[in-house]
Amino acid sequence: MTERWREEFEAERTLLNERVLASGHLGIKRFFALDEQAYQSGALPTKVKELLGLVASMVLRCDDCIAYHLIRCHEEGVTREEFQEAFNVALIVGGSIVIPHLRFAAEKLESLLEK
Amino acid sequence: MTERWREEFEAERTLLNERVLASGHLGIKRFFALDEQAYQSGALPTKVKELLGLVASMVLRCDDCIAYHLIRCHEEGVTREEFQEAFNVALIVGGSIVIPHLRFAAEKLESLLEK
Amino acid sequence: MTERWREEFEAERTLLNERVLASGHLGIKRFFALDEQAYQSGALPTKVKELLGLVASMVLRCDDCIAYHLIRCHEEGVTREEFQEAFNVALIVGGSIVIPHLRFAAEKLESLLEK
Amino acid sequence: MTERWREEFEAERTLLNERVLASGHLGIKRFFALDEQAYQSGALPTKVKELLGLVASMVLRCDDCIAYHLIRCHEEGVTREEFQEAFNVALIVGGSIVIPHLRFAAEKLESLLEK
Amino acid sequence: MTERWREEFEAERTLLNERVLASGHLGIKRFFALDEQAYQSGALPTKVKELLGLVASMVLRCDDCIAYHLIRCHEEGVTREEFQEAFNVALIVGGSIVIPHLRFAAEKLESLLEK
Amino acid sequence: MTERWREEFEAERTLLNERVLASGHLGIKRFFALDEQAYQSGALPTKVKELLGLVASMVLRCDDCIAYHLIRCHEEGVTREEFQEAFNVALIVGGSIVIPHLRFAAEKLESLLEK
């Protein structure tokens, strides 16, 4: 059961991204390509870049973006302790308004780690 | 000359933090302590945490916070190439509204690296 | 089926607006009147003003406001190509954090255009 | 029926807060303690502080935080007229992008007051 | 010396508001009237409403708005201890990104209280 | 005198953009290219797209971005009345927190129109 949200999240995300890109708008397509390239390993490894994306998503308070970067961080081997410290930075920078998103992230993280 | 902004920034910051803390409000003092602890080395090294603080400050568009984390990242040995990749993540997540802060960061970074 | 979200959205919106206005607070009522007047045709046509409202709603990341202005833009004759270009401006200004709202807008737009 | 959202909201909130705190991260625990202390009666009474929390949550557009502070304000004896005036300040400061959250708050308030 | 920033702030504000209103746009004029009315005494006293405006301005991070509501709160008799508690709520809700604005507010408050 | 801010603004902007691009980061360069293309005439004329950029900048409260789009809108022939109506949409969507930026825009607009 714990992985169902992830499968549903990823299926929905893929479907809707296809719809967005089906519009054929070149600027939007190119932005999506830049977005993907921004997290590729370079001077900073992908793991660090995904943590940057996760914390940015938490302080900007976007659950959909948090879910995406949680999954990607998990794939890159971020441990429970590293997640907690990144969550703490997001909480301190962004304040109590971040707490509902911290609850969301904590819940999704458990299901990823339980697998 | 290149270091003057940094000295002025740090003197001003210290002076005003003292004024804030002089109020004696316990909650504010404790928050400042938590803020400092959040970036201490743990499961994630300080360098990564300062990069998290930098990117969070860029997407939330706060020049004062950007200046602070730029200096701290530089002290932790973040290289020019690593800064550029972190700037790029902030730009992609936050969009063109981040560009004035990217200009600010690029200018301050040069003066830090020139020393 | 494609129009059901719109009917439900508009019924819900009407019901809740009535509840808000039933409070009888004069400041809130006057704000609602100003809000309606802001999009009336003047030096700029309503179509352009609704596009301004749509892009503002996208960069501020409010799905409810996006749904409302999508419907109004569609009523004012905004074409699929014009929508795509407005979406692109919102994406560039606001960055990847806008993407979940772009997916939402793309999905709702299809249902409006399919009718 | 009117109170069910409140019970569900509070049960969910308690459950997820426990999950967040179960992580054992000291910084997060301390932040939660500071958050609670910030609303305790002092030079300003709790009622005023909860109204500050409510309006801050409305202009930052977080429904979860709005629900929490609505309940707490209601417990502190905030009247319907006082709520309306606080809602109006939030609407004027934050603009029409706050309206979906004003609808949410108006709906939840009715169920609290109907009891 | 301590009052000069206030005089300059108020002169600049008056001058620019006149320029904004000189445009003759009816919607803008009416919004300015609603903005003024929102803080008039009603079910909630002006002092509480100005504190609401101050905390909203701090979490939204607008120094100009903070300066205005600081002056108005001071005129309404808000004490140093009450200011500190309101600052603390803003800091907890909004996080460390609010700190530069807390420094600004603390500095301006001293000059208001020194008179 | 009235045009000096514009010359200084454009010189500073060009200088700092060059510094940003001198970093040679490909993602940043490509983003700058997408940003420029987003406002080129297509299904929507450049004038409308620049108005979208202006209102987005006002609700996101970035003076630097406001200055840039004001100049571009003026070059595209936006009239004083059209500017006022766009300002009004931004004020209604974004609320009184936008007012300091409305004052900034009104002041800069006068100097552009006086030429």
Side-chain angles (χ1 to χ4, degrees):
Chain A
M1 183 201 76
T2 56
E3 283 299 278
R4 201 171 303 159
W5 79 266
R6 177 176 169 173
E7 283 162 22
E8 284 173 8
F9 172 80
E10 293 186 331
E12 172 92 353
R13 190 174 181 275
T14 301
L15 180 73
L16 290 179
N17 276 357
E18 280 166 11
R19 193 164 301 170
V20 167
L21 295 176
S23 73
H25 190 285
L26 200 58
I28 294 175
K29 279 187 181 170
R30 285 180 174 158
F31 185 91
F32 274 60
L34 286 187
D35 185 21
E36 197 176 312
Q37 291 158 15
Y39 299 93
Q40 289 172 359
S41 190
L44 292 170
T46 292
K47 179 183 158 183
V48 169
K49 290 180 169 181
E50 286 294 342
L51 282 167
L52 295 175
L54 176 62
V55 169
S57 300
M58 292 182 79
V59 298
L60 289 173
R61 302 186 280 128
C62 172
D63 278 346
D64 194 274
C65 310
I66 290 170
Y68 175 74
H69 289 294
L70 266 181
I71 293 170
R72 289 288 300 115
C73 283
H74 179 60
E75 289 172 348
E76 296 295 324
V78 174
T79 67
R80 187 189 295 269
E81 287 68 30
E82 290 172 330
F83 272 118
Q84 294 301 336
E85 296 191 2
F87 290 175
N88 186 48
V89 170
L91 178 61
I92 292 296
V93 173
S96 68
I97 208 81
V98 169
I99 290 178
H101 306 278
L102 182 59
R103 286 187 205 115
F104 173 86
E107 187 189 17
K108 296 311 181 204
L109 179 60
E110 281 318 299
S111 88
L112 289 175
L113 294 173
E114 272 170 19
K115 194 168 64 171
Chain B
M1 186 199 73
T2 56
E3 283 298 277
R4 200 171 303 157
W5 79 266
R6 177 176 169 173
E7 283 162 21
E8 284 172 8
F9 172 80
E10 293 186 330
E12 173 90 355
R13 191 173 180 277
T14 301
L15 180 73
L16 290 178
N17 275 357
E18 280 167 9
R19 193 164 302 170
V20 167
L21 295 175
S23 73
H25 190 285
L26 200 57
I28 294 176
K29 279 186 182 170
R30 285 179 175 158
F31 184 90
F32 274 60
L34 286 187
D35 185 20
E36 198 176 311
Q37 291 158 17
Y39 298 93
Q40 289 172 358
S41 190
L44 292 171
T46 293
K47 179 183 157 182
V48 169
K49 289 179 169 181
E50 287 293 343
L51 282 167
L52 295 175
L54 176 62
V55 169
S57 300
M58 291 183 78
V59 298
L60 290 173
R61 302 187 283 128
C62 172
D63 278 345
D64 194 274
C65 310
I66 291 169
Y68 175 74
H69 289 293
L70 265 182
I71 292 170
R72 289 289 300 115
C73 283
H74 179 59
E75 289 172 349
E76 296 294 325
V78 174
T79 66
R80 187 190 296 269
E81 287 68 30
E82 290 172 330
F83 272 118
Q84 293 302 335
E85 295 191 3
F87 290 175
N88 186 48
V89 170
L91 178 62
I92 292 296
V93 173
S96 69
I97 208 83
V98 169
I99 291 178
H101 306 276
L102 182 60
R103 287 187 203 114
F104 174 85
E107 187 189 17
K108 296 311 182 205
L109 179 60
E110 281 318 299
S111 88
L112 289 174
L113 294 173
E114 271 170 19
K115 194 167 65 172
Chain C
M1 184 200 76
T2 56
E3 284 296 278
R4 200 172 304 157
W5 79 266
R6 176 176 169 173
E7 282 162 21
E8 284 172 8
F9 172 80
E10 293 186 330
E12 172 92 354
R13 190 174 182 276
T14 301
L15 180 73
L16 291 178
N17 275 357
E18 280 166 10
R19 193 164 303 169
V20 168
L21 295 176
S23 73
H25 190 286
L26 200 58
I28 294 176
K29 279 187 182 170
R30 284 181 175 156
F31 185 90
F32 274 59
L34 286 187
D35 185 21
E36 197 177 312
Q37 291 158 17
Y39 299 93
Q40 288 172 359
S41 189
L44 292 171
T46 292
K47 179 182 158 183
V48 169
K49 289 179 169 180
E50 287 293 341
L51 282 166
L52 295 175
L54 176 63
V55 169
S57 300
M58 292 182 78
V59 298
L60 290 173
R61 302 186 280 130
C62 172
D63 278 345
D64 194 273
C65 310
I66 290 170
Y68 174 74
H69 288 294
L70 265 182
I71 293 170
R72 289 289 300 116
C73 283
H74 178 61
E75 289 172 348
E76 295 294 324
V78 174
T79 66
R80 187 189 295 268
E81 288 68 30
E82 290 171 330
F83 272 117
Q84 293 302 334
E85 296 191 3
F87 290 175
N88 186 48
V89 170
L91 178 61
I92 291 296
V93 173
S96 69
I97 207 82
V98 170
I99 290 178
H101 307 277
L102 182 60
R103 287 188 203 114
F104 173 85
E107 187 189 17
K108 297 311 182 204
L109 179 60
E110 281 317 300
S111 88
L112 288 175
L113 293 174
E114 271 170 20
K115 195 167 63 171
Chain D
M1 183 200 77
T2 56
E3 284 297 278
R4 200 171 304 157
W5 79 266
R6 176 176 169 173
E7 283 161 21
E8 285 172 7
F9 172 80
E10 293 186 330
E12 172 91 355
R13 191 174 181 276
T14 300
L15 180 73
L16 291 178
N17 276 356
E18 280 165 11
R19 193 164 302 170
V20 167
L21 295 175
S23 73
H25 190 285
L26 199 59
I28 294 176
K29 279 187 182 170
R30 285 181 175 157
F31 184 90
F32 274 60
L34 286 187
D35 185 20
E36 197 176 312
Q37 292 158 16
Y39 298 93
Q40 289 172 359
S41 189
L44 292 172
T46 292
K47 179 183 158 182
V48 169
K49 289 179 170 182
E50 287 293 343
L51 282 167
L52 295 175
L54 176 62
V55 169
S57 300
M58 292 183 78
V59 298
L60 289 173
R61 302 187 282 129
C62 173
D63 278 345
D64 194 274
C65 310
I66 290 170
Y68 175 74
H69 289 293
L70 265 182
I71 292 170
R72 288 289 299 114
C73 283
H74 179 60
E75 289 172 349
E76 295 295 324
V78 174
T79 66
R80 187 190 294 270
E81 287 68 30
E82 290 171 330
F83 272 117
Q84 293 302 334
E85 295 191 3
F87 290 175
N88 186 48
V89 170
L91 177 62
I92 292 296
V93 173
S96 68
I97 208 82
V98 170
I99 290 178
H101 307 277
L102 182 60
R103 287 187 203 114
F104 173 85
E107 187 189 16
K108 297 311 182 205
L109 179 60
E110 281 317 300
S111 88
L112 289 174
L113 293 174
E114 271 170 19
K115 195 169 65 172
Chain E
M1 184 200 75
T2 55
E3 284 297 279
R4 200 171 302 158
W5 79 266
R6 177 175 169 173
E7 283 162 20
E8 283 172 9
F9 172 80
E10 293 186 329
E12 172 91 355
R13 190 174 182 276
T14 301
L15 180 73
L16 290 178
N17 275 357
E18 280 167 10
R19 194 164 301 169
V20 167
L21 295 176
S23 73
H25 190 285
L26 200 58
I28 294 176
K29 280 186 182 170
R30 284 180 175 158
F31 184 91
F32 274 60
L34 286 187
D35 185 21
E36 197 177 312
Q37 291 158 15
Y39 299 93
Q40 289 173 0
S41 190
L44 292 171
T46 293
K47 179 183 157 181
V48 169
K49 290 180 168 180
E50 287 293 342
L51 282 167
L52 296 174
L54 177 62
V55 169
S57 300
M58 291 183 79
V59 298
L60 289 173
R61 301 187 282 128
C62 171
D63 278 345
D64 194 273
C65 310
I66 290 170
Y68 175 75
H69 288 293
L70 265 182
I71 292 171
R72 288 290 298 116
C73 283
H74 178 61
E75 289 172 349
E76 295 295 324
V78 174
T79 66
R80 187 190 295 268
E81 288 67 30
E82 291 171 329
F83 272 117
Q84 293 301 335
E85 296 191 2
F87 290 174
N88 186 47
V89 170
L91 178 61
I92 292 296
V93 173
S96 69
I97 207 82
V98 169
I99 291 179
H101 306 276
L102 182 60
R103 287 188 203 114
F104 173 85
E107 187 189 18
K108 297 311 183 205
L109 179 60
E110 281 318 299
S111 88
L112 288 175
L113 293 173
E114 271 170 19
K115 195 169 63 170
Chain F
M1 184 200 76
T2 56
E3 284 297 277
R4 202 172 301 158
W5 79 266
R6 176 174 170 175
E7 284 162 19
E8 285 173 7
F9 172 81
E10 294 186 329
E12 172 91 355
R13 190 173 182 276
T14 301
L15 180 73
L16 291 178
N17 276 357
E18 280 166 8
R19 194 165 300 170
V20 168
L21 296 175
S23 73
H25 190 285
L26 199 58
I28 294 176
K29 279 187 181 169
R30 284 180 176 158
F31 185 90
F32 274 60
L34 285 188
D35 185 20
E36 197 177 312
Q37 291 157 17
Y39 299 94
Q40 289 172 359
S41 189
L44 292 171
T46 292
K47 179 183 157 182
V48 169
K49 290 179 169 181
E50 287 293 342
L51 282 167
L52 295 175
L54 176 62
V55 169
S57 300
M58 292 183 79
V59 298
L60 290 173
R61 302 186 282 128
C62 172
D63 279 345
D64 194 273
C65 310
I66 291 170
Y68 174 74
H69 289 293
L70 265 182
I71 292 170
R72 288 289 300 115
C73 282
H74 178 60
E75 289 172 350
E76 295 295 324
V78 174
T79 66
R80 186 189 295 269
E81 287 68 30
E82 291 171 330
F83 272 118
Q84 293 301 335
E85 296 191 3
F87 290 175
N88 185 48
V89 170
L91 177 62
I92 291 296
V93 173
S96 69
I97 208 81
V98 169
I99 290 178
H101 307 277
L102 182 61
R103 286 187 204 115
F104 173 84
E107 187 189 17
K108 296 312 183 205
L109 179 60
E110 281 318 300
S111 88
L112 289 174
L113 294 173
E114 270 171 18
K115 195 167 67 170

